[in-house]
Amino acid sequence: MAHARHFDPSLMRLAFGLLVLGYGTKVGLAPMHTWLPDAHSQAPAPVSALMSGVLLTVAFYAILRFKAVTDVALGQDSPAPCSSSWASSHWRWRRRF
C-alpha cells in the first residue's frame, strides 16, 4: 500500500478489471454467475459447503483487498465508486447465510 501511489493508473484499471472478471466469475457476480447454481446442485453436500464457506468467500476477499490498493493508486479516478458500498452489502448478505 505504501507504493500504490506510484503505480501506473492505466495499468491499475486494466488489472482491476481483469481481477474482477476472474474472481467475479469465481464468486458468481452477475453476469458471470450462471455456473454457480449448477455447481452447487450437482456437487456432494461437503463439496458444496466448502464452495460456499471457503472458496467463494476467499475470492470475494481478494477483490476487496485489491480494491483498496486500486483506490490508493487511482485516487479520485477509482473504478466503480459505488462498488465499495455494493461490496460491503454483498459481504454482509453472504455472512448471514
Side-chain angles (χ1 to χ4, degrees):
M1 288 281 257
H3 301 289
R5 295 189 193 285
H6 305 293
F7 294 155
D8 182 25
S10 60
L11 185 62
M12 287 300 293
R13 282 188 198 93
L14 176 67
F16 185 73
L18 292 174
L19 186 113
V20 169
L21 181 66
Y23 281 119
T25 301
K26 178 71 76 181
V27 172
L29 298 177
M32 303 160 289
H33 66 288
T34 57
W35 71 273
L36 197 57
D38 295 331
H40 281 282
S41 65
Q42 297 298 320
V47 174
S48 181
L50 283 174
M51 285 195 316
S52 293
V54 177
L55 187 74
L56 301 178
T57 306
V58 169
F60 189 71
Y61 181 71
I63 293 173
L64 290 180
R65 289 291 301 225
F66 199 79
K67 174 76 168 96
V69 175
T70 305
D71 285 343
V72 172
L74 297 180
Q76 297 292 342
D77 296 333
S78 181
C82 64
S83 66
S84 295
S85 62
W86 174 85
S88 64
S89 66
H90 183 70
W91 185 262
R92 278 185 255 136
W93 178 81
R94 283 255 187 218
R95 294 197 50 137
R96 287 191 310 181
F97 297 105

Coordinates of all heavy atoms in Angstrom, one line a residue:
M1 N 0.8 -1.2 0.0 CA 0.0 0.0 0.0 C 0.9 1.3 0.0 O 0.4 2.3 -0.5 CB -0.9 0.0 1.2 CG -2.0 -0.9 1.2 SD -3.4 -0.4 0.2 CE -4.5 0.2 1.4
A2 N 2.0 1.2 0.6 CA 2.9 2.3 0.6 C 3.3 2.8 -0.7 O 3.5 4.0 -1.0 CB 4.1 2.0 1.5
H3 N 3.5 1.9 -1.7 CA 4.0 2.3 -3.0 C 2.8 2.3 -4.0 O 3.1 2.5 -5.2 CB 5.0 1.2 -3.5 CG 6.2 1.1 -2.6 ND1 7.1 2.1 -2.5 CD2 6.6 0.2 -1.7 CE1 8.1 1.8 -1.6 NE2 7.7 0.6 -1.1
A4 N 1.6 2.2 -3.6 CA 0.5 2.2 -4.5 C 0.3 3.5 -5.3 O -0.1 3.5 -6.4 CB -0.8 1.9 -3.8
R5 N 0.7 4.6 -4.7 CA 0.6 5.9 -5.4 C 1.5 6.0 -6.7 O 1.3 6.8 -7.5 CB 0.9 7.0 -4.5 CG -0.1 7.1 -3.4 CD 0.1 8.4 -2.6 NE -0.6 8.4 -1.4 CZ -1.9 8.6 -1.2 NH1 -2.6 8.8 -2.3 NH2 -2.4 8.6 0.0
H6 N 2.5 5.1 -6.7 CA 3.5 5.2 -7.8 C 3.1 4.3 -9.0 O 3.8 4.2 -10.0 CB 4.9 4.8 -7.3 CG 5.3 5.7 -6.2 ND1 5.6 7.1 -6.3 CD2 5.5 5.5 -4.9 CE1 5.9 7.6 -5.2 NE2 5.9 6.6 -4.3
F7 N 2.0 3.5 -8.9 CA 1.7 2.6 -9.9 C 1.0 3.3 -11.1 O 0.4 4.4 -10.9 CB 0.6 1.5 -9.4 CG 1.2 0.6 -8.4 CD1 0.4 0.0 -7.5 CD2 2.5 0.3 -8.3 CE1 0.8 -0.9 -6.5 CE2 3.1 -0.6 -7.4 CZ 2.2 -1.1 -6.5
D8 N 1.2 2.8 -12.3 CA 0.6 3.3 -13.5 C -0.9 3.2 -13.5 O -1.4 2.1 -13.3 CB 1.2 2.6 -14.7 CG 0.7 3.2 -16.0 OD1 0.3 4.3 -16.1 OD2 0.6 2.4 -17.0
P9 N -1.6 4.4 -13.5 CA -3.1 4.3 -13.4 C -3.8 3.5 -14.5 O -4.7 2.8 -14.2 CB -3.5 5.8 -13.6 CG -2.3 6.6 -13.2 CD -1.1 5.7 -13.6
S10 N -3.3 3.5 -15.7 CA -4.0 2.8 -16.8 C -3.7 1.3 -16.6 O -4.6 0.5 -16.8 CB -3.5 3.2 -18.2 OG -2.1 3.0 -18.3
L11 N -2.6 0.9 -16.1 CA -2.3 -0.5 -15.8 C -3.1 -1.0 -14.6 O -3.6 -2.1 -14.6 CB -0.8 -0.7 -15.5 CG -0.3 -2.1 -15.3 CD1 -0.6 -2.9 -16.5 CD2 1.1 -2.1 -14.9
M12 N -3.3 -0.1 -13.6 CA -4.2 -0.4 -12.4 C -5.6 -0.7 -12.9 O -6.3 -1.5 -12.4 CB -4.1 0.6 -11.4 CG -2.7 0.6 -10.6 SD -2.4 -0.9 -9.8 CE -3.7 -0.9 -8.5
R13 N -6.1 0.2 -13.8 CA -7.5 0.0 -14.2 C -7.7 -1.3 -15.0 O -8.6 -2.1 -14.7 CB -7.9 1.1 -15.2 CG -8.3 2.4 -14.5 CD -8.8 3.4 -15.4 NE -8.7 4.7 -14.8 CZ -7.7 5.6 -14.9 NH1 -6.7 5.3 -15.7 NH2 -7.8 6.7 -14.3
L14 N -6.7 -1.7 -15.8 CA -6.7 -2.9 -16.5 C -6.6 -4.1 -15.6 O -7.4 -5.1 -15.7 CB -5.6 -3.0 -17.5 CG -5.4 -4.3 -18.3 CD1 -6.6 -4.5 -19.2 CD2 -4.1 -4.3 -19.1
A15 N -5.7 -4.0 -14.6 CA -5.5 -5.1 -13.6 C -6.8 -5.3 -12.8 O -7.2 -6.4 -12.5 CB -4.3 -4.8 -12.8
F16 N -7.4 -4.2 -12.4 CA -8.6 -4.3 -11.6 C -9.7 -4.9 -12.4 O -10.5 -5.7 -11.9 CB -9.0 -2.9 -11.0 CG -10.2 -3.0 -10.1 CD1 -10.0 -3.5 -8.8 CD2 -11.4 -2.6 -10.5 CE1 -11.1 -3.6 -8.0 CE2 -12.5 -2.6 -9.6 CZ -12.4 -3.2 -8.4
G17 N -9.9 -4.5 -13.6 CA -10.9 -5.1 -14.5 C -10.7 -6.6 -14.7 O -11.7 -7.3 -14.6
L18 N -9.5 -7.0 -15.0 CA -9.2 -8.4 -15.1 C -9.4 -9.2 -13.8 O -9.9 -10.3 -13.8 CB -7.8 -8.6 -15.7 CG -7.6 -8.1 -17.1 CD1 -6.2 -8.2 -17.5 CD2 -8.5 -8.9 -18.1
L19 N -9.0 -8.6 -12.7 CA -9.2 -9.2 -11.4 C -10.7 -9.4 -11.1 O -11.1 -10.5 -10.7 CB -8.5 -8.4 -10.4 CG -8.5 -9.1 -9.0 CD1 -7.1 -9.4 -8.6 CD2 -9.2 -8.2 -8.0
V20 N -11.5 -8.4 -11.4 CA -12.9 -8.5 -11.1 C -13.5 -9.6 -12.1 O -14.4 -10.3 -11.7 CB -13.6 -7.2 -11.2 CG1 -15.1 -7.3 -11.2 CG2 -13.2 -6.3 -10.1
L21 N -13.1 -9.6 -13.3 CA -13.6 -10.6 -14.2 C -13.2 -12.0 -13.8 O -14.1 -12.9 -13.7 CB -13.0 -10.3 -15.6 CG -13.5 -11.3 -16.7 CD1 -14.9 -11.1 -17.0 CD2 -12.7 -11.0 -18.0
G22 N -12.0 -12.2 -13.4 CA -11.6 -13.6 -12.9 C -12.2 -14.0 -11.6 O -12.8 -15.0 -11.5
Y23 N -12.0 -13.2 -10.6 CA -12.5 -13.5 -9.3 C -14.1 -13.4 -9.3 O -14.8 -14.0 -8.5 CB -11.9 -12.7 -8.2 CG -10.6 -13.2 -7.8 CD1 -9.4 -12.4 -7.9 CD2 -10.4 -14.4 -7.2 CE1 -8.2 -12.8 -7.5 CE2 -9.1 -14.9 -6.8 CZ -8.0 -14.1 -7.0 OH -6.8 -14.5 -6.6
G24 N -14.6 -12.5 -10.1 CA -16.1 -12.3 -10.1 C -16.7 -13.5 -10.7 O -17.8 -13.9 -10.3
T25 N -16.0 -14.2 -11.6 CA -16.5 -15.5 -12.1 C -16.5 -16.5 -11.0 O -17.5 -17.3 -10.9 CB -15.7 -15.9 -13.3 OG1 -15.8 -15.0 -14.3 CG2 -16.2 -17.3 -13.9
K26 N -15.5 -16.5 -10.2 CA -15.4 -17.5 -9.1 C -16.4 -17.2 -8.1 O -17.0 -18.1 -7.5 CB -14.0 -17.4 -8.5 CG -13.7 -18.3 -7.4 CD -13.7 -19.7 -7.7 CE -12.3 -20.0 -8.4 NZ -12.2 -21.4 -8.8
V27 N -16.7 -16.0 -7.8 CA -17.6 -15.6 -6.7 C -19.1 -15.8 -7.2 O -20.0 -16.1 -6.4 CB -17.4 -14.1 -6.3 CG1 -18.5 -13.6 -5.4 CG2 -16.1 -14.0 -5.6
G28 N -19.3 -15.6 -8.5 CA -20.6 -15.7 -9.0 C -21.3 -14.4 -9.2 O -22.5 -14.3 -9.1
L29 N -20.6 -13.3 -9.5 CA -21.2 -12.0 -9.7 C -21.9 -12.0 -11.0 O -21.4 -12.6 -12.0 CB -20.1 -10.9 -9.7 CG -19.3 -10.7 -8.4 CD1 -18.2 -9.7 -8.6 CD2 -20.2 -10.3 -7.3
A30 N -23.0 -11.3 -11.1 CA -23.7 -11.2 -12.4 C -22.8 -10.4 -13.4 O -22.2 -9.4 -13.0 CB -25.0 -10.5 -12.2
P31 N -22.7 -10.7 -14.6 CA -23.4 -11.7 -15.4 C -22.6 -13.0 -15.5 O -22.9 -13.8 -16.4 CB -23.5 -11.0 -16.8 CG -22.3 -10.2 -16.9 CD -22.0 -9.8 -15.5
M32 N -21.6 -13.2 -14.7 CA -20.8 -14.4 -14.8 C -21.3 -15.5 -13.8 O -20.5 -16.3 -13.3 CB -19.3 -14.0 -14.5 CG -18.9 -13.0 -15.5 SD -17.4 -12.1 -14.9 CE -18.0 -11.1 -13.6
H33 N -22.5 -15.4 -13.3 CA -23.0 -16.3 -12.3 C -23.7 -17.6 -12.7 O -24.1 -18.3 -11.9 CB -23.9 -15.5 -11.4 CG -25.2 -15.1 -12.1 ND1 -25.2 -14.2 -13.1 CD2 -26.5 -15.5 -12.0 CE1 -26.4 -14.0 -13.6 NE2 -27.2 -14.9 -13.0
T34 N -23.7 -17.8 -14.0 CA -24.6 -18.9 -14.4 C -24.1 -20.3 -14.0 O -24.8 -21.3 -13.9 CB -24.7 -18.9 -16.0 OG1 -23.4 -18.9 -16.6 CG2 -25.4 -17.6 -16.4
W35 N -22.8 -20.4 -13.8 CA -22.2 -21.7 -13.4 C -22.5 -22.1 -12.0 O -22.6 -23.3 -11.6 CB -20.7 -21.8 -13.6 CG -20.0 -20.9 -12.6 CD1 -19.7 -19.6 -12.7 CD2 -19.4 -21.3 -11.4 NE1 -19.0 -19.2 -11.6 CE2 -18.9 -20.2 -10.8 CE3 -19.4 -22.6 -10.7 CZ2 -18.3 -20.3 -9.5 CZ3 -18.8 -22.6 -9.5 CH2 -18.2 -21.5 -8.9
L36 N -22.7 -21.1 -11.1 CA -22.8 -21.3 -9.7 C -24.0 -22.2 -9.2 O -23.8 -23.2 -8.5 CB -22.8 -20.0 -8.9 CG -22.5 -20.0 -7.5 CD1 -21.1 -20.6 -7.2 CD2 -22.5 -18.6 -6.9
P37 N -25.2 -22.0 -9.6 CA -26.3 -22.8 -9.2 C -26.1 -24.3 -9.7 O -26.4 -25.2 -8.9 CB -27.5 -22.2 -9.9 CG -27.2 -20.8 -10.1 CD -25.7 -20.8 -10.4
D38 N -25.6 -24.5 -10.9 CA -25.4 -25.9 -11.3 C -24.3 -26.5 -10.5 O -24.4 -27.7 -10.2 CB -25.0 -25.9 -12.8 CG -26.1 -25.4 -13.7 OD1 -27.2 -25.6 -13.3 OD2 -25.8 -24.8 -14.8
A39 N -23.2 -25.8 -10.2 CA -22.1 -26.4 -9.4 C -22.6 -26.8 -8.0 O -22.3 -27.9 -7.5 CB -21.0 -25.5 -9.3
H40 N -23.4 -26.0 -7.4 CA -23.9 -26.3 -6.0 C -24.9 -27.4 -6.0 O -24.9 -28.2 -5.1 CB -24.4 -25.0 -5.4 CG -23.4 -24.1 -4.8 ND1 -22.7 -24.3 -3.7 CD2 -22.9 -23.0 -5.3 CE1 -21.9 -23.4 -3.5 NE2 -22.0 -22.5 -4.5
S41 N -25.7 -27.5 -7.0 CA -26.8 -28.5 -7.0 C -26.2 -29.9 -7.4 O -26.7 -30.9 -7.0 CB -27.9 -28.1 -8.0 OG -27.4 -28.1 -9.3
Q42 N -25.1 -29.9 -8.2 CA -24.6 -31.2 -8.7 C -23.5 -31.7 -7.7 O -23.2 -32.9 -7.8 CB -24.0 -31.0 -10.1 CG -25.0 -30.7 -11.1 CD -26.1 -31.7 -11.3 OE1 -25.7 -32.9 -11.3 NE2 -27.3 -31.3 -11.4
A43 N -22.9 -30.9 -6.9 CA -21.8 -31.3 -6.0 C -22.4 -32.0 -4.8 O -23.5 -31.7 -4.3 CB -21.0 -30.1 -5.6
P44 N -21.6 -32.9 -4.2 CA -22.0 -33.5 -3.0 C -22.1 -32.4 -1.9 O -21.4 -31.4 -2.0 CB -20.9 -34.5 -2.7 CG -20.2 -34.7 -4.0 CD -20.4 -33.5 -4.8
A45 N -22.8 -32.7 -0.8 CA -23.0 -31.7 0.2 C -21.7 -31.2 0.8 O -21.6 -29.9 1.0 CB -23.9 -32.3 1.3
P46 N -20.7 -32.0 1.2 CA -19.5 -31.4 1.7 C -18.7 -30.5 0.7 O -18.2 -29.5 1.1 CB -18.6 -32.6 2.1 CG -19.6 -33.8 2.2 CD -20.7 -33.5 1.2
V47 N -18.8 -30.8 -0.5 CA -18.1 -30.0 -1.5 C -18.8 -28.7 -1.7 O -18.2 -27.6 -1.8 CB -18.0 -30.8 -2.9 CG1 -17.4 -29.9 -4.0 CG2 -17.1 -32.0 -2.7
S48 N -20.2 -28.8 -1.7 CA -21.0 -27.5 -1.8 C -20.7 -26.6 -0.6 O -20.7 -25.4 -0.7 CB -22.4 -27.9 -1.9 OG -23.2 -26.7 -2.1
A49 N -20.6 -27.2 0.6 CA -20.3 -26.4 1.8 C -19.0 -25.8 1.7 O -18.8 -24.6 2.1 CB -20.4 -27.3 3.0
L50 N -18.0 -26.5 1.2 CA -16.6 -25.9 1.0 C -16.7 -24.8 0.0 O -16.0 -23.7 0.2 CB -15.6 -26.9 0.6 CG -15.1 -27.9 1.7 CD1 -14.2 -28.9 1.1 CD2 -14.4 -27.1 2.7
M51 N -17.4 -24.9 -1.1 CA -17.5 -23.9 -2.1 C -18.2 -22.6 -1.5 O -17.7 -21.5 -1.8 CB -18.3 -24.4 -3.3 CG -17.5 -25.3 -4.2 SD -18.2 -25.6 -5.8 CE -19.9 -25.8 -5.6
S52 N -19.2 -22.8 -0.7 CA -19.9 -21.7 -0.2 C -19.1 -21.0 0.9 O -19.0 -19.8 1.0 CB -21.3 -22.1 0.4 OG -22.1 -22.5 -0.6
G53 N -18.6 -21.8 1.8 CA -17.9 -21.3 3.0 C -16.5 -20.8 2.8 O -16.1 -19.8 3.5
V54 N -15.8 -21.4 1.9 CA -14.4 -21.0 1.8 C -14.1 -20.4 0.4 O -13.6 -19.3 0.3 CB -13.5 -22.2 2.1 CG1 -12.0 -21.9 1.9 CG2 -13.7 -22.8 3.5
L55 N -14.3 -21.2 -0.6 CA -13.9 -20.8 -2.0 C -14.5 -19.4 -2.4 O -13.7 -18.5 -2.8 CB -14.3 -21.9 -3.0 CG -13.8 -21.7 -4.4 CD1 -12.3 -22.0 -4.4 CD2 -14.5 -22.7 -5.3
L56 N -15.8 -19.3 -2.2 CA -16.4 -18.0 -2.7 C -16.0 -16.8 -1.8 O -15.8 -15.7 -2.3 CB -17.9 -18.2 -2.7 CG -18.5 -19.3 -3.6 CD1 -20.0 -19.4 -3.5 CD2 -18.0 -19.1 -5.0
T57 N -15.9 -17.1 -0.5 CA -15.5 -16.0 0.4 C -14.1 -15.5 0.2 O -13.8 -14.3 0.2 CB -15.7 -16.5 1.9 OG1 -17.0 -17.0 2.0 CG2 -15.5 -15.4 2.8
V58 N -13.2 -16.4 -0.1 CA -11.8 -16.1 -0.3 C -11.7 -15.3 -1.6 O -10.9 -14.3 -1.7 CB -10.9 -17.3 -0.3 CG1 -9.5 -17.0 -0.8 CG2 -10.8 -17.9 1.1
A59 N -12.4 -15.7 -2.6 CA -12.3 -15.0 -3.9 C -12.9 -13.6 -3.7 O -12.3 -12.6 -4.3 CB -13.1 -15.8 -5.0
F60 N -14.0 -13.4 -3.0 CA -14.5 -12.1 -2.8 C -13.6 -11.2 -1.9 O -13.5 -10.0 -2.2 CB -15.9 -12.2 -2.1 CG -16.7 -10.9 -2.1 CD1 -17.2 -10.4 -3.2 CD2 -16.8 -10.2 -0.9 CE1 -17.9 -9.2 -3.2 CE2 -17.5 -9.0 -0.9 CZ -18.0 -8.5 -2.0
Y61 N -13.0 -11.8 -1.0 CA -12.0 -11.1 -0.2 C -10.8 -10.6 -1.0 O -10.3 -9.5 -0.8 CB -11.5 -12.0 1.0 CG -10.5 -11.4 1.9 CD1 -10.9 -10.4 2.8 CD2 -9.2 -11.8 1.9 CE1 -10.0 -9.8 3.6 CE2 -8.3 -11.2 2.7 CZ -8.7 -10.2 3.6 OH -7.8 -9.6 4.4
A62 N -10.4 -11.4 -2.0 CA -9.3 -11.0 -2.9 C -9.7 -9.7 -3.7 O -8.9 -8.8 -3.9 CB -8.9 -12.1 -3.8
I63 N -11.0 -9.7 -4.1 CA -11.4 -8.5 -4.8 C -11.4 -7.3 -3.9 O -11.0 -6.2 -4.3 CB -12.9 -8.7 -5.4 CG1 -12.9 -9.8 -6.5 CG2 -13.5 -7.4 -5.9 CD1 -14.3 -10.2 -6.9
L64 N -11.8 -7.4 -2.7 CA -11.9 -6.3 -1.7 C -10.4 -5.8 -1.4 O -10.2 -4.6 -1.3 CB -12.6 -6.7 -0.5 CG -14.1 -6.9 -0.6 CD1 -14.6 -7.3 0.8 CD2 -14.7 -5.6 -1.0
R65 N -9.5 -6.7 -1.3 CA -8.1 -6.4 -1.0 C -7.5 -5.6 -2.1 O -6.8 -4.6 -1.9 CB -7.3 -7.6 -0.7 CG -7.6 -8.3 0.6 CD -7.2 -7.4 1.8 NE -5.8 -7.2 1.7 CZ -4.9 -7.2 2.7 NH1 -5.4 -7.6 3.9 NH2 -3.7 -6.9 2.6
F66 N -7.8 -6.0 -3.3 CA -7.2 -5.3 -4.5 C -7.9 -4.0 -4.7 O -7.3 -3.0 -5.2 CB -7.3 -6.2 -5.7 CG -6.4 -5.8 -6.8 CD1 -5.0 -6.1 -6.8 CD2 -6.8 -5.0 -7.9 CE1 -4.2 -5.6 -7.8 CE2 -6.0 -4.6 -8.9 CZ -4.6 -4.9 -8.8
K67 N -9.2 -3.9 -4.3 CA -9.9 -2.7 -4.4 C -9.3 -1.6 -3.6 O -9.2 -0.4 -4.0 CB -11.4 -2.9 -4.1 CG -12.2 -1.6 -4.0 CD -12.6 -1.2 -5.4 CE -13.7 -0.1 -5.3 NZ -13.2 1.2 -5.3
A68 N -8.8 -2.0 -2.4 CA -8.1 -1.0 -1.5 C -6.9 -0.5 -2.1 O -6.6 0.8 -2.1 CB -7.8 -1.6 -0.2
V69 N -6.1 -1.3 -2.8 CA -4.9 -0.8 -3.4 C -5.2 0.0 -4.6 O -4.6 1.1 -4.9 CB -4.0 -2.1 -3.9 CG1 -2.8 -1.6 -4.7 CG2 -3.6 -2.9 -2.7
T70 N -6.2 -0.3 -5.4 CA -6.7 0.4 -6.5 C -7.2 1.8 -6.1 O -6.9 2.8 -6.8 CB -7.7 -0.3 -7.3 OG1 -7.3 -1.6 -7.6 CG2 -8.1 0.4 -8.6
D71 N -7.9 1.9 -5.0 CA -8.3 3.2 -4.5 C -7.2 4.1 -4.2 O -7.2 5.3 -4.5 CB -9.2 3.0 -3.3 CG -10.6 2.5 -3.6 OD1 -11.0 2.5 -4.7 OD2 -11.2 2.0 -2.6
V72 N -6.2 3.6 -3.6 CA -5.0 4.4 -3.3 C -4.3 4.8 -4.5 O -3.8 6.0 -4.7 CB -4.1 3.7 -2.3 CG1 -2.8 4.4 -2.1 CG2 -4.7 3.5 -1.0
A73 N -4.1 3.9 -5.5 CA -3.3 4.1 -6.7 C -4.0 5.2 -7.6 O -3.4 6.0 -8.2 CB -3.1 2.9 -7.4
L74 N -5.3 5.1 -7.7 CA -6.1 5.9 -8.6 C -6.6 7.2 -8.0 O -7.0 8.1 -8.7 CB -7.2 5.1 -9.3 CG -6.7 4.0 -10.2 CD1 -7.9 3.3 -10.8 CD2 -5.8 4.4 -11.2
G75 N -6.8 7.2 -6.7 CA -7.3 8.4 -6.0 C -8.8 8.6 -6.4 O -9.6 7.7 -6.2
Q76 N -9.1 9.8 -6.9 CA -10.5 10.1 -7.3 C -10.9 9.3 -8.6 O -12.1 9.2 -8.8 CB -10.6 11.6 -7.6 CG -10.3 12.4 -6.3 CD -11.4 12.2 -5.3 OE1 -12.5 11.8 -5.5 NE2 -11.1 12.6 -4.1
D77 N -10.0 8.8 -9.4 CA -10.4 8.1 -10.6 C -10.6 6.6 -10.3 O -10.5 5.8 -11.3 CB -9.3 8.3 -11.6 CG -9.1 9.7 -12.0 OD1 -10.1 10.5 -11.9 OD2 -8.0 10.1 -12.5
S78 N -10.9 6.3 -9.1 CA -11.0 4.9 -8.8 C -12.2 4.2 -9.5 O -13.2 4.9 -9.7 CB -11.3 4.7 -7.3 OG -11.4 3.4 -6.9
P79 N -12.1 3.0 -10.0 CA -13.2 2.4 -10.7 C -14.4 2.1 -9.9 O -14.2 1.7 -8.7 CB -12.6 1.1 -11.3 CG -11.5 0.8 -10.3 CD -10.9 2.1 -9.8
A80 N -15.5 2.3 -10.4 CA -16.8 2.0 -9.7 C -16.8 2.6 -8.3 O -16.7 1.9 -7.3 CB -17.0 0.5 -9.7
P81 N -17.1 3.9 -8.2 CA -17.1 4.5 -6.8 C -18.1 3.9 -5.9 O -17.9 3.9 -4.7 CB -17.3 6.0 -7.1 CG -17.6 6.1 -8.5 CD -17.3 4.8 -9.2
C82 N -19.2 3.3 -6.5 CA -20.2 2.8 -5.6 C -19.9 1.3 -5.3 O -20.6 0.7 -4.6 CB -21.6 2.9 -6.3 SG -21.7 2.0 -7.8
S83 N -18.8 0.8 -5.9 CA -18.5 -0.7 -5.6 C -18.2 -1.0 -4.2 O -18.4 -2.1 -3.7 CB -17.4 -1.1 -6.6 OG -16.2 -0.5 -6.2
S84 N -17.7 0.0 -3.5 CA -17.4 -0.2 -2.0 C -18.7 -0.5 -1.3 O -18.7 -1.4 -0.4 CB -16.6 0.9 -1.4 OG -15.4 1.1 -2.1
S85 N -19.7 0.3 -1.5 CA -20.9 0.1 -0.8 C -21.6 -1.2 -1.2 O -22.2 -1.9 -0.4 CB -21.9 1.3 -1.0 OG -22.2 1.4 -2.4
W86 N -21.5 -1.5 -2.5 CA -22.0 -2.7 -3.0 C -21.3 -3.9 -2.4 O -21.9 -4.9 -2.0 CB -21.9 -2.8 -4.5 CG -22.4 -4.2 -5.0 CD1 -23.6 -4.6 -5.3 CD2 -21.5 -5.3 -5.3 NE1 -23.6 -5.9 -5.7 CE2 -22.3 -6.3 -5.7 CE3 -20.1 -5.5 -5.2 CZ2 -21.8 -7.6 -6.0 CZ3 -19.6 -6.7 -5.5 CH2 -20.5 -7.7 -5.9
A87 N -20.0 -3.8 -2.3 CA -19.2 -4.9 -1.8 C -19.5 -5.1 -0.3 O -19.6 -6.3 0.1 CB -17.7 -4.5 -1.9
S88 N -19.6 -4.1 0.5 CA -19.9 -4.3 1.9 C -21.3 -4.9 2.1 O -21.5 -5.7 2.9 CB -19.8 -3.0 2.6 OG -20.7 -2.0 2.2
S89 N -22.3 -4.4 1.3 CA -23.6 -5.0 1.4 C -23.6 -6.5 1.0 O -24.3 -7.3 1.6 CB -24.6 -4.2 0.6 OG -24.4 -4.3 -0.7
H90 N -22.9 -6.8 -0.1 CA -22.8 -8.2 -0.6 C -22.1 -9.0 0.5 O -22.5 -10.2 0.7 CB -22.0 -8.2 -1.9 CG -22.0 -9.6 -2.5 ND1 -23.1 -10.2 -3.0 CD2 -20.9 -10.4 -2.6 CE1 -22.7 -11.4 -3.5 NE2 -21.4 -11.6 -3.2
W91 N -21.1 -8.5 1.1 CA -20.3 -9.2 2.1 C -21.3 -9.5 3.3 O -21.3 -10.6 3.9 CB -19.1 -8.4 2.6 CG -18.2 -9.2 3.5 CD1 -18.2 -9.1 4.9 CD2 -17.3 -10.2 3.2 NE1 -17.3 -9.9 5.4 CE2 -16.7 -10.6 4.4 CE3 -16.8 -10.7 2.0 CZ2 -15.7 -11.5 4.5 CZ3 -15.8 -11.6 2.1 CH2 -15.2 -12.0 3.3
R92 N -22.0 -8.5 3.8 CA -22.9 -8.7 4.9 C -24.0 -9.8 4.5 O -24.4 -10.6 5.4 CB -23.6 -7.4 5.3 CG -22.6 -6.6 6.2 CD -23.3 -5.4 6.7 NE -22.7 -4.3 5.9 CZ -23.4 -3.3 5.4 NH1 -24.7 -3.2 5.5 NH2 -22.8 -2.4 4.7
W93 N -24.5 -9.7 3.3 CA -25.5 -10.7 2.9 C -25.0 -12.1 2.9 O -25.6 -13.0 3.3 CB -26.0 -10.3 1.5 CG -27.0 -11.3 1.0 CD1 -28.4 -11.3 1.3 CD2 -26.8 -12.4 0.1 NE1 -29.0 -12.3 0.7 CE2 -28.1 -13.0 -0.1 CE3 -25.7 -12.9 -0.6 CZ2 -28.2 -14.1 -0.9 CZ3 -25.8 -14.0 -1.3 CH2 -27.1 -14.6 -1.5
R94 N -23.7 -12.3 2.4 CA -23.1 -13.6 2.4 C -22.9 -14.1 3.8 O -23.0 -15.3 4.0 CB -21.7 -13.5 1.7 CG -21.8 -13.4 0.3 CD -21.4 -14.7 -0.3 NE -21.3 -14.7 -1.7 CZ -21.7 -15.6 -2.5 NH1 -22.1 -16.7 -2.0 NH2 -21.6 -15.5 -3.8
R95 N -22.6 -13.3 4.7 CA -22.3 -13.7 6.1 C -23.6 -14.2 6.8 O -23.5 -14.9 7.8 CB -21.6 -12.6 6.9 CG -20.2 -12.4 6.3 CD -19.4 -11.6 7.2 NE -19.4 -12.2 8.5 CZ -18.3 -12.4 9.2 NH1 -17.2 -12.1 8.7 NH2 -18.4 -12.9 10.4
R96 N -24.7 -13.7 6.4 CA -26.0 -14.1 7.0 C -26.3 -15.6 6.8 O -27.0 -16.2 7.6 CB -27.2 -13.3 6.6 CG -27.1 -11.9 7.1 CD -28.4 -11.2 6.8 NE -28.8 -11.4 5.4 CZ -29.8 -10.9 4.8 NH1 -30.7 -10.2 5.5 NH2 -30.1 -11.0 3.5
F97 N -25.8 -16.1 5.7 CA -26.1 -17.5 5.3 C -25.0 -18.5 5.5 O -23.9 -18.3 5.7 CB -26.6 -17.6 3.9 CG -27.8 -16.8 3.6 CD1 -27.7 -15.5 3.0 CD2 -29.0 -17.2 4.0 CE1 -28.9 -14.8 2.8 CE2 -30.2 -16.5 3.8 CZ -30.1 -15.3 3.2

